[in-house]
Amino acid sequence: MTLPPSLPALFRVLLRLLLIQGVALGIKITNLEVPTPLAVGEGGWLLCEWEDEGDHVYALKWYVGGEEFYRWTPLETPAVKTFMSSHFVVDSRESQRGRVRIRNVTVSAGGKYRCEISGEAPKFKTSFATADMMVVDLPDSQPRLVGGDAGPYQLHQVVTINCSSHDALPAPTLTFYINDQPVDPEWEDNDQVILNETSGLETSHKSLHFKLRPSMVSEGLLQVKCVASYPDLYWDSSDITFRVLSGHGSGFPLGSQEFVLQGDAGRPQASLHHFPLFLIALVFFR
Ligand SMILES: *[C@@H]1O[C@H](CO)[C@@H](O)[C@H](O)[C@H]1NC(C)=O
Ligand SMILES: *[C@@H]1O[C@H](CO)[C@@H](O)[C@H](O)[C@H]1NC(C)=O
Ligand SMILES: *[C@@H]1O[C@H](CO)[C@@H](O)[C@H](O)[C@H]1NC(C)=O
């Protein structure tokens, strides 16, 4: 290679070194995306984008946990190859270049994803990038609420309510609300998570203890709600409405039930339209 003689000598030497060493050549990964979090059974697009810095792609490979599941070799026919994976189905018709469509993930699909791009012969200079994907096995049903002692409740009485969410991985976070307001954290026990060794799934439990105060009761009623959630993925709740006696039964209609369970444990609650993924979860878990 001839360099223009006008370049300062030192610069010419450096430039020649760079070209010979191939330092300026290579492929730089500019963007890596994996869909996260996903629920078991869902899918999405993996994306690996790059800039050629004077080199061309010889092979682009996707791995999860060291296992290759996709390869794109533009000079070969077919250019796209997919490998059987126990973690998901790779859609080879929709996938091309660094964009890969996966479907029906299992819980084992969670982990570190790696995109590796190698340049052309003779150096096959390789770049890679990694990203984490989280996969959640959602609870089988909405959280269950269990009231400590049946009513009628009196003002200033201490009430204990337990909430649990069953057979998920990892267990969701449980949060209590009284009349749709977050509760004082001192009234809650920390989440307790119990692993079922047979199924490998977790159940979370939380207890709420509080003293019934007049400010909590509106028209003789008080609602306790428990929400099970994963950020950006899933939300579901159950609630119970109690009737509270304001004192010695006064103001309480004769013949009506003093203790009313309005929370129907078999029915999803109203706020689901904020959480379209819940519908997907329903489809997969009913
Ligand atoms: C999704 O994967 C699970 C577990 O591998 C399998 O039992 C199920 O049939 C698959 N569903 C579809 C729609 O491919
Ligand atoms: C509520 O949970 C606590 C602590 O886990 C337990 O001791 C208690 O028996 C539970 N009460 C009911 C009614 O399930
Ligand atoms: C644990 O899981 C197994 C298999 O799914 C189930 O049969 C068993 O009842 C579960 N045990 C408990 C304590 O929930």
Side-chain angles (χ1 to χ4, degrees), residues 60-245:
L60 181 153
K61 300 175 183 177
W62 272 100
Y63 297 86
V64 56
E67 186 184 300
E68 184 184 352
F69 58 88
Y70 174 88
R71 186 186 299 178
W72 177 64
T73 36
L75 299 179
E76 291 174 15
T77 317
V80 166
K81 292 186 189 71
T82 60
F83 305 96
M84 277 291 285
S85 169
S86 56
H87 309 300
F88 40 67
V89 175
V90 185
D91 189 326
S92 53
R93 283 193 314 150
E94 285 200 51
S95 305
Q96 55 157 330
R97 298 168 65 87
R99 248 168 87 80
V100 181
R101 178 84 160 109
I102 59 170
R103 299 181 185 279
N104 196 18
V105 297
T106 64
V107 80
S108 68
K112 203 170 271 309
Y113 283 69
R114 175 181 166 108
C115 173
E116 199 179 276
I117 304 182
S118 39
E120 289 184 311
K123 288 186 182 295
F124 300 108
K125 208 169 150 49
T126 300
S127 316
F128 70 90
T130 62
D132 288 316
M133 187 163 100
M134 182 179 166
V135 177
V136 176
D137 195 343
L138 296 175
D140 291 340
S141 55
Q142 56 261 80
R144 294 180 205 167
L145 279 173
V146 182
D149 33 3
Y153 283 99
Q154 299 280 349
L155 281 181
H156 311 298
Q157 186 176 346
V158 175
V159 176
T160 299
I161 310 268
N162 289 351
C163 180
S164 56
S165 177
H166 295 252
D167 297 327
L169 194 73
T173 303
L174 299 176
T175 316
F176 279 109
Y177 295 83
I178 294 179
N179 301 329
D180 289 323
Q181 301 297 313
V183 302
D184 185 331
E186 293 204 345
W187 304 347
E188 295 180 303
D189 289 350
N190 288 330
D191 288 46
Q192 194 192 355
V193 173
I194 295 168
L195 173 69
N196 179 332
E197 309 247 353
T198 313
S199 63
L201 298 174
E202 295 178 343
T203 293
S204 45
H205 297 269
K206 198 169 209 174
S207 296
L208 175 70
H209 313 273
F210 64 98
K211 199 172 195 176
L212 277 172
R213 296 177 189 165
S215 63
M216 294 173 175
V217 182
S218 150
E219 296 177 0
L221 298 175
L222 174 149
Q223 187 205 51
V224 173
K225 182 189 283 180
C226 176
V227 173
S229 63
Y230 300 91
D232 303 325
L233 182 68
Y234 171 91
W235 184 101
D236 198 2
S237 75
S238 294
D239 59 72
I240 301 178
T241 300
F242 298 100
R243 208 173 268 284
V244 181
L245 298 172

Side-chain angles (χ1 to χ4, degrees), residues 20 50 92:
I20 291 168
W50 67 92
S92 53

